Amino acid sequence: MFDRVPTVETTATVCPECGARTPAGYHDSDRCNGLVLEVDGALTCIECGVSIKRSTACPQCGTSLDSGTLPAVVSLRDQVARTDIEASLTRRLRSSTAAPVESDRALSAIAKSHADSTVESDYFGSESCVPSLSEELDRQSLATGGYQLSTFEGYPAGQTADAIANELYDEFLSDFLARQTDFTHIGVGARWNPHGGVHASVIAATRFAQLPGDITPSRLEREIHTATNNRRTKHGYGQLSYDTHLASIAATHSRAMASGNFFAHEAPDGTTTADRYQEVNYSGDRAAENIAKQYATISADTESIATDIVDGWMNSQGHRENILKGGFANEGIGVYQAGDGALFVTQNFS
């Protein structure tokens, strides 16, 4: 055995403008996290042997990068790919929750960055490079209604990704899940340290507080209308026309549910669907309404959100009957997003 851990010189990049550093000396690949060495002026990954292109611009601010060398501690352990550990740990987390939990790419990217930065700081002498979780969420515009971070370092004995994930979960994450029971999205990042240990960062978030990408309520309303007509066509029913008056009824109720913190056809003041129809001179005798409440992930698009909502209605007998009722000719949809990120959706028919 070695009396001390052997070291070699490995490359690193430092931004002279903002101070950001690339992960020092490790191959950032889906299947490899090997040590990168400079040999005769060329960068090479000693794990997989591929040549590594030297970074020339800061990924944060675009400034030209300085390159130098740092002493790196070399682990003598065969390393399972970090992506395999992350995938196994994600599966273990999702299987251990009572309610459905989604793995989110944006949160996972933040978790990976956090794990990388922590190892850089602890083992390669980088100063002040570990951002706070709130800073990372703000930087990527991922405001959440609530989140929890668990970050830890373990030295598992397992030789497979599943075995390593199970050890890390049992040692560090069972209490974490007990404290944080209402989250709906998770992100996982893992990074081997040079001593053969695994640093992991796990983010649990209850929700995102804004619609992702270029999604807007009006676009989502139209996409839900399209998805509804697709279901009617599939089952042999005629297309519904879009009625702006019905949409106004729907939008009013969605806004009321979001503002009043309730989710029901009848408002706390006793106002019913029929009452809302009559207020705009529609007959309350034929009033029909579907409602939904959903949180959208940052990676979702308009079509997938609309499909999820309509699929949920189709799996509920009363909502399904409204969508597939032959006597209806018109519909209107209202989408309103609450401050905590929840999408309230109302669909009215005539």
Side-chain angles (χ1 to χ4, degrees):
M1 295 296 293
F2 291 100
D3 294 331
R4 62 181 180 84
V5 180
T7 64
V8 296
E9 293 291 312
T10 183
T11 59
T13 56
V14 182
C15 177
E17 183 66 27
C18 69
R21 298 177 51 163
T22 59
Y26 280 85
H27 184 191
D28 186 13
S29 165
D30 287 344
R31 302 297 302 178
C32 180
N33 191 34
L35 188 67
V36 175
L37 300 181
E38 183 172 342
V39 181
D40 295 330
L43 301 183
T44 304
C45 173
I46 64 171
E47 290 281 342
C48 63
V50 303
S51 297
I52 307 297
K53 184 177 180 181
R54 192 184 302 275
S55 299
T56 59
C58 174
Q60 299 293 329
C61 68
T63 302
S64 296
L65 291 171
D66 295 331
S67 180
T69 60
L70 289 173
V73 184
V74 181
S75 171
L76 302 180
R77 170 181 173 153
D78 291 335
Q79 294 183 356
V80 178
R82 63 186 290 184
T83 51
D84 292 343
I85 297 173
E86 290 163 351
S88 293
L89 195 53
T90 298
R91 287 194 296 270
R92 178 63 192 273
L93 284 163
R94 294 186 66 186
S95 67
S96 302
T97 58
V101 175
E102 296 184 27
S103 174
D104 187 83
R105 286 181 294 178
L107 287 178
S108 292
I110 295 176
K112 290 172 185 285
S113 176
H114 194 276
D116 282 339
S117 298
T118 302
V119 172
E120 289 298 311
S121 177
D122 291 348
Y123 291 92
F124 297 100
S126 180
E127 297 180 359
S128 303
C129 70
V130 183
S132 70
L133 179 57
S134 60
E135 289 172 345
E136 284 291 289
L137 292 170
D138 290 344
R139 185 173 68 83
Q140 297 197 30
S141 300
L142 296 185
T144 61
Y147 58 82
Q148 183 88 11
L149 169 69
S150 177
T151 181
F152 52 87
E153 190 171 68
Y155 289 81
Q159 298 299 311
T160 66
D162 286 343
I164 291 170
N166 286 336
E167 289 184 55
L168 294 176
Y169 175 88
D170 292 340
E171 184 173 359
F172 298 104
L173 288 171
S174 55
D175 289 343
F176 172 70
L177 288 176
R179 295 195 307 269
Q180 184 80 1
T181 58
D182 62 345
F183 61 87
T184 56
H185 306 91
I186 57 172
V188 177
R191 167 81 179 264
W192 286 99
N193 71 34
H195 290 173
V198 177
H199 184 94
S201 296
V202 177
I203 303 169
T206 55
R207 59 192 64 94
F208 295 108
Q210 78 290 313
L211 285 172
D214 59 353
I215 300 171
T216 64
S218 60
R219 289 187 62 189
L220 185 53
E221 288 161 1
R222 290 292 179 171
E223 197 67 46
I224 293 171
H225 174 62
T226 298
T228 298
N229 273 332
N230 288 342
R231 301 305 187 283
R232 285 178 63 89
T233 298
K234 180 179 178 180
H235 289 83
Y237 293 90
Q239 299 274 288
L240 298 174
S241 298
Y242 198 79
D243 188 308
T244 56
H245 294 292
L246 288 172
S248 177
I249 298 173
T252 298
H253 189 53
S254 292
R255 187 182 302 110
M257 287 191 292
S259 304
N261 194 30
F262 73 96
F263 180 65
H265 294 286
E266 184 174 323
D269 64 1
T271 301
T272 65
T273 304
D275 294 332
R276 291 189 288 276
Y277 272 55
Q278 291 169 353
E279 287 176 1
V280 292
N281 296 320
Y282 266 91
S283 171
D285 295 336
R286 286 174 51 81
E289 182 175 82
N290 288 344
I291 57 175
K293 179 181 179 182
Q294 182 165 319
Y295 293 101
T297 66
I298 198 68
S299 57
D301 55 36
T302 307
E303 183 178 356
S304 66
I305 297 173
T307 298
D308 286 346
I309 290 170
V310 175
D311 284 347
W313 284 335
M314 291 294 289
N315 289 327
S316 170
Q317 182 176 351
H319 297 92
R320 180 187 178 92
E321 289 174 355
N322 284 338
I323 290 176
L324 300 182
K325 190 167 184 176
F328 289 147
N330 305 289
E331 75 161 347
I333 299 160
V335 174
Y336 189 86
Q337 189 174 34
D340 68 356
L343 291 170
F344 286 85
V345 184
T346 304
Q347 180 182 46
N348 289 118
F349 302 87
S350 70

